[in-house]
Amino acid sequence: MKRLLKLTVAITAFLTLIATGASYAVGGPSYISTGYVKGAFTLSSGGKPAPIYVDDGDYPGVIRAARDLQKDIFSVTQTQPSFSTGTILSGANPILIGTIGKSKLIDDLIKLKKLQVDDIAGKWETYLIQVVENPSPGVKQALVITGSDKRGTIFGIYDVSAKIGVSPWYWWADVPVSVQKNLYVLPGRHTDGEPAVKYRGIFINDEAPSFSGWAQEKFGGINHKAYEKVFELILRLKGNYLWPAMWGNAFNDDDKADPVLADEYGIVMGASHHEPMNRAQQEWKRYGTGAWNYETNGPVLRDFWKRGIENVGSKETLVTVGMRGDGDMPMTEGSNIALLEKIVTDQRKIIADVTGKEASQTPQIWALYKEVQAYYDKGMRVPDDVTLLLCDDNWGNIRKLPKLTEPKRKGGYGIYYHFDYVGDPRNYKWLNTNPISKTWEQMHLAYAYGAKQVWIVNVGDLKPMEFPISFFMDYAWSPEKWPASRLTEYARLWARQQFGKAHQDEIADILTKYTMYNARRKPELLDENTYSLTNYREFETVVQDYDNLRGNAQLLYKKMPKAYRDAYYELVLHPVEACSNLNDLYFAAAKNHLYAAEGNAAANDMAKQVKNFFAKDAEISRYYNDTLANGKWNHMMDQTHIGYTYWQQPDANKMPDVKQVNLPVAADMGVAVEGSAGWWPKETTKAILAEFNSYEMKNYYIEIFNRGQTVFNYKIKADKPWIKFTAQNGTVNKQERVWVSVDWDKAPVGLSKVPLTIMGAGREVVVEASVNRVPLSQQKLMRGFVESNGYIAIEAGHYTRKINGGGIEWTTLPDYGRTFDGVTTLPVTTKSEQPGGDSPHLEYRLNLADTGEVKIEAYVSPTLDFTNTKGLHYAVSIDDQQPRLVNINADESDPAWRRDVANNIKILVTKHHIAKPGVHILKYWMVDPGAVLQKIVINAGGEKQSYLGPPESYRK
């Protein structure tokens, strides 16, 4: 009966939660309700909020966070709870906040067996939120927020804040709260368990000119006033670790309140990979003497480092050990492993001497960043208690992971990851270009291989990386909660947390699409030559897709309540508007160059468009800086992003070069056809449109342009009446596009070649149209992807069949690829497979038109060989042919790496012989875990140059 009663209460509470539309935090349903259910605790009702009690002997950071809860309850309910560090008064049911072993309030409840904490006591950063009945004389009920340690309690406090509707981004992204007069906490024990990754943090880096300019204006510099906002954000995101800004800044030296407040808040401090022993690079510039060279200047460096450890005191710090060259550079040529190991030995002696404890009692990390990994690979070792901080390649591809067969290290392994970077092949600092599916894929690898002591991510200026920062922190807390299948849901829940439920789906779609579009190629790498202007309408489609996304985002902005518009602009609309405009800019520049080469009268209009889009870019940045949120974020969009000539940023944005055309007075007709960069009558070869066929039923265009100032009339005709035009005659001022199509009900069966004649301004140009009406009986036999114009293009996720086996399963990574999903295998820790038979593979049914050699191009992610062995492999075959083994990492030269990360793809080619036309099965075989397939192109001789590859072929 008791069990039935509990079940009834639980169901009632759940239904009430749904009915009342209570806040949902990212990750699952909330324990907060706006309607009362039996056993619930009243946070606020009828204008009367529950009083807050904290023991004055608890950690200052806990008391400070409890004050934040007081403010958050006021923000949501418009009523201010009382706050006390004294004795609990009888009468009103209180909120009791405290840390186990540090709070008499909590310890008394435990002794009286009012509160059971066995499942959280002694754990790392674990909290418990529970409604307790009759906690003390005269008090009928209390809400207890307790933690296993300081941050456990703080995270419990901020979890309540998030659940009642205060976003972690309330200050950093101006996310408003939805007012709720009544708030209740549902009965039960509420906890999010122990974090999976011990230290979870961000690195504010590459902070000039944006973050540094903003902080200087708003706070007088990157000082404790600015950092308090950062500390609070990290804690609200359930993070605990920070590498501070270091471009011209020194956290411990610039403002002596910085480290004191970090420790009070509960932030574990560290320093970047090239700033050992708690000393910033800028401190060496200020106080160091002699060379940054341990062989020649060891005593001075040891003294310098000693001061850094003295500054640590009792504050929580992860001390970076080792040594790189000055200013984020490699050590001097010839530095040997013995010297580097001696440096670490001497540093640990300093740590032991200053702290009076064994060095192993002070947490340390050694970052295997860039060239340092080579030292490790050549045999350099550090003591077992030092955390090995493994790194990505600065472009989101992890370079090395622990071997599954290696003994566990006492210090464990960590990951240093990048959402922002300054360096080769190009800086990327301006806007968010990080799809969460890519972050998931790489950090899932890290977690699966045991790198879970430290996760730190370079976030640049912090804004505008809000969305991926949230995901990075949430995933670090609980990777098991977020399988790949829930990534779309994550975006939706994050959108709901910031903007409510009404438009969560549309916002999630915009967030996902813009990051996917930006990841194709970083904005700083874009130019007028990135996409093909003539093949597959590639550039046109890219721009149209982004412009459509902008239109959707702008429409949604108008629907947003006024209070939400600043937040919506920062998190959603701005990156879409800015990047859509940037693509428009380069599209116009590309057309200007093409039209100028044609002598096309529209060239000068395109030059004007380039100037307008360039001015619009500056206008968008000015609005963000000067107008948005009343200028709160001034300088945050100071980052240059147009006019790069090498990896380093330009001093100022520079408009792409444009060309002006001096036109003769007399009219002169030119004709261009889709799929060709040439124009007629200049070209001596025949003008030919791509083949029309009866299964794709595509249309193609002809552009008729003026090479003079005088308007002319044109006519266009076909020898066959079943060829259709959007206009058979008209007037050309500068340029007209005419679409050509086929009336398939009247076209004859078989291949027809039809001349199309364009007449105007005294000229005549003939364009050939090839029309292939496939017999209906043959079309009925088609299955799968059908060759057209000499190629088949396939998105990896559109397989005909997937074959799992041996515990290995094919998994789709949503919105991961440059044009669609990615596909990989899980688990990522399995052994290599011998391809063939029933081993794991994907099958794609093809219809090939001819015999002979074809090239199969596999578009795979630029994943590095994180095993550091023989490379990652896949295999590919057609029908029952022997699988061809391909090493993804066969070419890891610097030029190849620069190309692959810039393009965000590797395109690997195998050659295969087709003995007969018709239906075939292409098989993509799993060999090594970790490879991600995005796209396949079968080039039968007709593929044309493009950046993204041909669009997906017709599939039946």
Side-chain angles (χ1 to χ4, degrees):
M1 188 68 184
K2 287 182 178 178
R3 189 174 298 173
L4 180 62
L5 181 60
K6 288 181 179 178
L7 179 62
T8 304
V9 171
I11 293 172
T12 303
F14 178 72
L15 293 174
T16 302
L17 184 65
I18 295 173
T20 56
S23 169
Y24 274 62
V26 175
S30 175
Y31 46 78
I32 299 293
S33 171
T34 55
Y36 180 76
V37 298
K38 186 177 180 180
F41 176 84
T42 304
L43 271 179
S44 183
S45 178
K48 295 180 179 179
I52 297 173
Y53 286 86
V54 188
D55 194 309
D56 59 6
D58 214 321
Y59 295 101
V62 169
I63 296 172
R64 189 208 59 76
R67 289 282 189 188
D68 281 348
L69 179 61
Q70 180 189 32
K71 290 184 289 185
D72 292 345
I73 291 173
F74 175 77
S75 295
V76 176
T77 67
Q78 302 299 294
T79 56
Q80 178 92 333
S82 63
F83 188 96
S84 176
T85 57
T87 304
I88 302 173
L89 301 177
S90 60
N93 293 341
I95 303 169
L96 306 181
I97 299 173
T99 308
I100 297 170
K102 192 70 174 176
S103 167
K104 189 174 184 302
L105 291 174
I106 300 302
D107 291 347
D108 284 349
L109 289 174
I110 296 170
K111 288 175 186 176
L112 293 170
K113 301 189 183 304
K114 299 285 186 179
L115 183 65
Q116 172 58 252
V117 296
D118 289 351
D119 55 343
I120 72 164
K123 290 189 176 180
W124 179 259
E125 298 181 344
T126 307
Y127 63 84
L128 173 65
I129 298 160
Q130 182 176 341
V131 179
V132 175
E133 303 297 331
N134 303 309
S136 61
V139 178
K140 292 182 179 180
Q141 194 182 51
L143 176 66
V144 173
I145 304 173
T146 187
S148 60
D149 52 25
K150 173 170 64 175
R151 278 186 297 275
T153 308
I154 292 170
F155 294 151
I157 292 167
Y158 284 136
D159 195 71
V160 173
S161 290
K163 295 294 196 298
I164 66 174
V166 179
S167 167
W169 297 98
Y170 81 95
W171 192 87
W172 280 98
D174 301 302
V175 178
V177 300
S178 177
V179 174
Q180 301 284 350
K181 293 298 184 182
N182 301 320
L183 292 173
Y184 304 91
V185 179
L186 299 179
R189 293 169 65 83
H190 311 292
T191 182
D192 210 10
E194 195 172 23
V197 176
K198 188 169 186 179
Y199 297 104
R200 310 163 305 281
I202 63 174
F203 179 19
I204 296 175
N205 191 29
D206 311 325
E207 65 271 14
S210 298
F211 188 91
S212 58
W214 167 78
Q216 183 63 44
E217 178 179 303
K218 303 303 179 184
F219 301 106
I222 306 180
N223 53 30
H224 77 273
K225 296 177 183 176
Y227 276 121
E228 284 190 286
K229 301 298 185 184
V230 177
F231 299 156
E232 183 187 332
L233 173 67
I234 292 172
L235 293 171
R236 284 183 183 267
L237 292 170
K238 294 183 184 173
N240 58 9
Y241 186 42
L242 174 67
W243 285 3
M246 44 75 63
W247 276 26
N249 300 290
F251 181 81
N252 295 309
D253 194 55
D254 292 340
D255 183 343
K256 298 302 182 183
D258 285 351
V260 175
L261 283 172
D263 194 58
E264 179 182 306
Y265 269 74
I267 298 296
V268 182
M269 291 304 302
S272 72
H273 47 82
H274 69 99
E275 296 179 306
M277 300 292 278
N278 200 40
R279 297 305 298 268
Q281 178 195 0
Q282 292 302 313
E283 292 182 78
W284 177 253
K285 290 184 176 181
R286 296 169 190 175
Y287 309 120
T289 57
W292 181 264
N293 184 312
Y294 200 71
E295 285 185 294
T296 63
N297 204 22
V300 172
L301 283 165
R302 285 192 293 273
D303 186 63
F304 176 74
W305 290 335
K306 179 182 178 183
R307 183 62 183 272
I309 302 303
E310 289 171 344
N311 289 338
V312 170
S314 61
K315 296 182 285 293
E316 283 188 278
T317 305
L318 294 186
V319 177
T320 299
V321 296
M323 187 175 182
R324 296 187 67 220
D326 193 18
D328 195 11
M329 298 297 288
M331 292 278 277
T332 56
E333 191 70 31
S335 297
N336 58 69
I337 288 173
L339 172 64
L340 293 167
E341 289 180 337
K342 175 175 170 50
I343 289 170
V344 174
T345 298
D346 291 351
Q347 288 172 338
R348 284 170 64 84
K349 184 178 185 304
I350 292 170
I351 292 170
D353 289 345
V354 172
T355 63
K357 301 179 292 187
E358 290 185 8
S360 60
Q361 301 302 304
T362 299
Q364 299 150 61
I365 60 170
W366 180 41
L368 304 189
Y369 183 68
K370 289 189 175 179
E371 79 288 346
V372 181
Q373 182 178 312
Y375 303 148
Y376 181 85
D377 292 340
K378 291 175 182 177
M380 179 178 172
R381 292 296 181 266
V382 295
D384 191 62
D385 60 272
V386 177
T387 300
L388 297 188
L389 190 66
L390 309 171
C391 305
D392 68 357
D393 61 353
N394 302 303
W395 287 74
N397 305 294
I398 292 174
R399 299 173 66 204
K400 185 182 188 70
L401 288 172
K403 294 187 185 303
L404 295 171
T405 55
E406 287 179 348
K408 290 187 177 181
R409 291 180 59 82
K410 181 181 176 183
Y413 297 86
I415 295 292
Y416 171 37
Y417 201 70
H418 285 75
F419 291 158
D420 162 286
Y421 180 59
V422 167
D424 202 34
R426 187 67 53 89
N427 295 358
Y428 60 97
K429 299 175 60 181
W430 180 41
L431 293 175
N432 175 28
T433 60
N434 306 282
I436 64 170
S437 53
K438 170 70 173 184
T439 303
W440 182 93
E441 180 254 332
Q442 287 290 296
M443 300 314 294
H444 173 75
L445 278 173
Y447 185 72
Y449 276 79
K452 50 189 177 183
Q453 184 74 359
V454 178
W455 284 8
I456 180 85
V457 59
N458 185 330
V459 299
D461 300 310
L462 198 152
K463 292 180 71 66
M465 303 296 177
E466 298 93 342
F467 181 42
I469 290 172
S470 284
F471 178 75
F472 188 87
M473 292 299 198
D474 285 333
Y475 192 67
W477 184 279
S478 182
E480 302 297 334
K481 186 183 290 184
W482 298 110
S485 59
R486 290 195 69 200
L487 292 177
T488 301
E489 182 186 1
Y490 182 90
R492 188 167 61 247
L493 290 171
W494 193 82
R496 184 193 299 190
Q497 185 184 56
Q498 318 315 321
F499 303 105
K501 191 175 181 180
H503 301 291
Q504 62 177 17
D505 292 344
E506 301 101 304
I507 292 172
D509 183 63
I510 293 168
L511 290 170
T512 301
K513 279 193 170 72
Y514 98 73
T515 49
M516 184 176 78
Y517 293 167
N518 281 357
R520 290 170 171 170
R521 194 168 183 86
K522 307 290 189 186
E524 291 86 346
L525 278 161
L526 288 174
D527 60 30
E528 61 273 18
N529 300 310
T530 299
Y531 300 110
S532 175
L533 197 59
T534 54
N535 298 328
Y536 311 121
R537 301 175 206 158
E538 184 179 51
F539 215 147
E540 184 174 328
T541 301
V542 165
V543 167
Q544 186 176 54
D545 287 348
Y546 228 138
D547 288 351
N548 289 341
L549 193 66
R550 178 182 63 196
N552 293 339
Q554 289 173 334
L555 185 64
L556 202 52
Y557 177 82
K558 294 176 182 176
K559 296 179 180 179
M560 282 284 145
K562 188 175 181 180
Y564 283 86
R565 288 186 175 179
D566 284 345
Y568 180 82
Y569 188 82
E570 293 167 47
L571 299 175
V572 184
L573 181 55
H574 171 258
V576 176
E577 281 192 335
C579 289
S580 173
N581 183 77
L582 188 71
N583 280 273
D584 287 340
L585 169 75
Y586 288 124
F587 185 44
K591 289 192 289 185
N592 168 258
H593 293 181
L594 176 66
Y595 294 169
E598 297 172 342
N600 187 328
N604 295 343
D605 288 347
M606 291 301 103
K608 290 178 184 177
Q609 282 194 21
V610 170
K611 294 174 184 176
N612 291 340
F613 288 130
F614 185 72
K616 179 67 173 177
D617 177 88
E619 180 186 325
I620 291 170
S621 293
R622 275 195 301 271
Y623 176 83
Y624 195 109
N625 285 340
D626 300 343
T627 307
L628 176 69
N630 297 315
K632 178 179 177 180
W633 303 111
N634 192 27
H635 297 295
M636 274 294 187
M637 282 300 137
D638 284 357
Q639 179 60 53
T640 56
H641 48 276
I642 303 173
Y644 276 80
T645 57
Y646 69 120
W647 68 265
Q648 184 59 284
Q649 66 194 41
D651 292 334
N653 288 329
K654 181 181 180 297
M655 190 185 82
D657 293 334
V658 294
K659 299 178 180 180
Q660 298 288 330
V661 176
N662 294 318
L663 298 170
V665 173
D668 186 17
M669 183 183 76
V671 174
V673 299
E674 180 174 353
S676 174
W679 64 277
W680 286 264
K682 179 185 177 184
E683 299 293 327
T684 57
T685 56
K686 187 183 295 185
I688 304 175
L689 285 169
E691 182 183 277
F692 297 83
N693 61 64
S694 55
Y695 46 88
E696 288 184 302
M697 296 187 178
K698 285 184 177 179
N699 303 332
Y700 298 104
Y701 64 78
I702 295 171
E703 287 185 331
I704 305 167
F705 57 88
N706 196 347
R707 302 183 73 245
Q709 298 180 39
T710 304
V711 175
F712 69 87
N713 296 323
Y714 75 89
K715 290 184 179 179
I716 181 168
K717 65 179 183 179
D719 281 4
K720 305 297 180 182
W722 37 266
I723 296 288
K724 301 297 180 182
F725 306 102
T726 51
Q728 286 190 275
N729 55 74
T731 300
V732 178
N733 180 11
K734 294 180 180 177
Q735 179 169 285
E736 293 294 323
R737 176 175 286 190
V738 176
W739 288 92
V740 184
S741 59
V742 176
D743 184 344
W744 292 106
D745 291 334
K746 297 178 181 179
V749 172
L751 181 64
S752 304
K753 294 187 181 296
V754 182
L756 316 176
T757 305
I758 302 103
M759 298 163 286
R763 291 191 183 274
E764 184 174 292
V765 173
V766 177
V767 176
E768 182 180 283
S770 296
V771 180
N772 183 15
R773 181 174 174 182
V774 179
L776 188 60
S777 59
Q778 186 177 335
Q779 279 189 230
K780 288 181 178 179
L781 296 175
M782 289 179 176
R783 292 291 184 274
F785 292 91
V786 183
E787 179 186 338
S788 174
N789 287 297
Y791 71 86
I792 296 176
I794 304 169
E795 296 292 354
H798 290 157
Y799 45 79
T800 307
R801 193 164 75 108
K802 65 176 180 179
I803 289 80
N804 301 322
I808 297 169
E809 294 189 0
W810 291 96
T811 299
T812 297
L813 305 180
D815 305 297
Y816 172 93
R818 300 195 304 174
T819 51
F820 191 59
D821 300 338
V823 181
T824 190
T825 54
L826 296 179
V828 293
T829 52
T830 57
K831 294 180 180 179
S832 299
E833 289 283 318
Q834 181 67 36
D838 290 329
S839 72
H841 64 278
L842 300 172
E843 294 184 356
Y844 299 88
R845 189 182 298 273
L846 314 174
N847 289 264
L848 292 170
D850 208 345
T851 61
E853 183 181 85
V854 298
K855 296 177 181 178
I856 296 180
E857 302 165 2
Y859 287 56
V860 297
S861 298
T863 308
L864 300 177
D865 178 15
F866 53 85
T867 66
N868 294 152
T869 53
K870 63 188 186 307
L872 305 179
H873 298 77
Y874 68 89
V876 64
S877 63
I878 292 182
D879 298 328
D880 294 324
Q881 295 175 2
Q882 184 70 21
R884 303 280 179 86
L885 194 67
V886 181
N887 187 346
I888 292 173
N889 310 111
D891 185 359
E892 289 299 306
S893 64
D894 282 346
W897 172 80
R898 286 193 290 269
R899 177 198 64 220
D900 294 344
V901 296
N903 295 341
N904 200 20
I905 204 75
K906 281 176 175 278
I907 303 175
L908 303 173
V909 181
T910 53
K911 296 178 180 179
H912 303 259
H913 181 74
I914 304 301
K916 62 178 182 179
V919 176
H920 296 272
I921 302 296
L922 185 152
K923 299 175 183 179
Y924 172 87
W925 303 86
M926 179 266 185
V927 177
D928 293 313
V932 184
L933 179 67
Q934 297 188 21
K935 186 172 184 169
I936 298 173
V937 175
I938 299 92
N939 183 4
E943 182 187 4
K944 295 184 176 182
Q945 184 277 329
S946 64
Y947 180 74
L948 297 172
E952 189 168 39
S953 298
Y954 170 80
R955 175 173 51 144
K956 186 176 179 183

